[in-house]
Amino acid sequence: MGEFIRQVFQNTPVWVWAILVTLIVLGANQLRTRVVSRYSVLIAPVAFLFIGLTAAGRGPVGFVAWALALLAAAAFTFFVWQPTAGARYTPSTDRLSLPGSVIPMLLMLAIFLLNYVVNVALAINPALQAELLWRVGPAVILGALSGMFIGRAATLFCMKRRGQSAVIA
C-alpha cells in the first residue's frame, strides 16, 4: 500500500502540488480577520465555479447532477443558512470586515481533494468513467461544495442590500 501511495504522489504533476500550496495559502489568509472589497468575496467562488465546470464535464449526466447540486446548495446557503456571523459591511467604503474563518479553507481543500481522488481513480481505472455512479456521485458532492462556497460569497456580497451589519461561518 505504501508503494502504491508513493507512486501516486510521484506521478502527480508538479502543477497539482502548486495548486494545493496556493489553496493552503489562500485558506490560511482567510483564517485571520481582514477588510476586503465586497467584490473580492466573489473571486474564489467564481474560480471554483469554472474548475467545477471542467471537472463536471464527465458527460451530460454528470454535468446535470453537478449543476443541480450546486444550485440547491447555493440556494440553501443563501436563503436559509446565511453564513455572515461576525461580518460587518461599511457602506461608506463599500467594504466588508470579515472575521477569520476556517470554512473557506475547508471548502477549497475538500473540492481539491475530491477532484484529486477522482482523477487518480480514473487514471488508474479509466473504465470507471462508464459507471453512472462515478459520473454522478462525485459531481453531486463537488456541486454541493461549490454551491456552499458560492452561496456564502453571495450572502456576504448582498449584505448591503439586505441591510445586515452583523450577523461568518
Side-chain angles (χ1 to χ4, degrees):
M1 181 64 143
E3 177 64 22
F4 171 75
I5 292 172
R6 187 182 64 75
Q7 285 183 348
V8 167
F9 286 161
Q10 282 182 336
N11 290 317
T12 298
V14 174
W15 61 265
V16 173
W17 300 120
I19 290 172
L20 176 60
V21 169
T22 301
L23 294 176
I24 291 170
V25 169
L26 289 172
N29 286 338
Q30 303 225 6
L31 293 172
R32 60 181 172 73
T33 300
R34 63 207 185 286
V35 176
V36 299
S37 139
R38 250 183 350 117
Y39 291 94
S40 70
V41 298
L42 301 175
I43 295 170
V46 168
F48 274 94
L49 176 68
F50 287 109
I51 292 168
L53 283 170
T54 61
R58 304 195 202 294
V61 173
F63 174 77
V64 169
W66 172 82
L68 290 174
L70 181 135
L71 291 172
F76 175 81
T77 304
F78 185 77
F79 292 111
V80 179
W81 181 21
Q82 298 183 351
T84 58
R88 304 246 189 287
Y89 174 68
T90 306
S92 62
T93 60
D94 197 31
R95 297 179 77 73
L96 292 166
S97 174
L98 304 175
S101 175
V102 71
I103 299 297
M105 182 190 288
L106 292 177
L107 290 172
M108 289 187 289
L109 292 179
I111 291 168
F112 173 87
L113 182 61
L114 183 58
N115 272 313
Y116 182 80
V117 168
V118 166
N119 285 314
V120 166
L122 289 173
I124 293 169
N125 186 1
L128 289 173
Q129 183 91 18
E131 299 293 326
L132 182 62
L133 182 63
W134 272 92
R135 285 182 294 187
V136 174
V140 167
I141 297 168
L142 286 168
L145 291 170
S146 295
M148 286 188 289
F149 205 19
I150 290 167
R152 178 181 180 271
T155 302
L156 291 169
F157 182 81
C158 291
M159 282 180 70
K160 172 184 174 183
R161 287 190 294 189
R162 289 183 173 191
Q164 295 166 316
S165 61
V167 204
I168 242 173

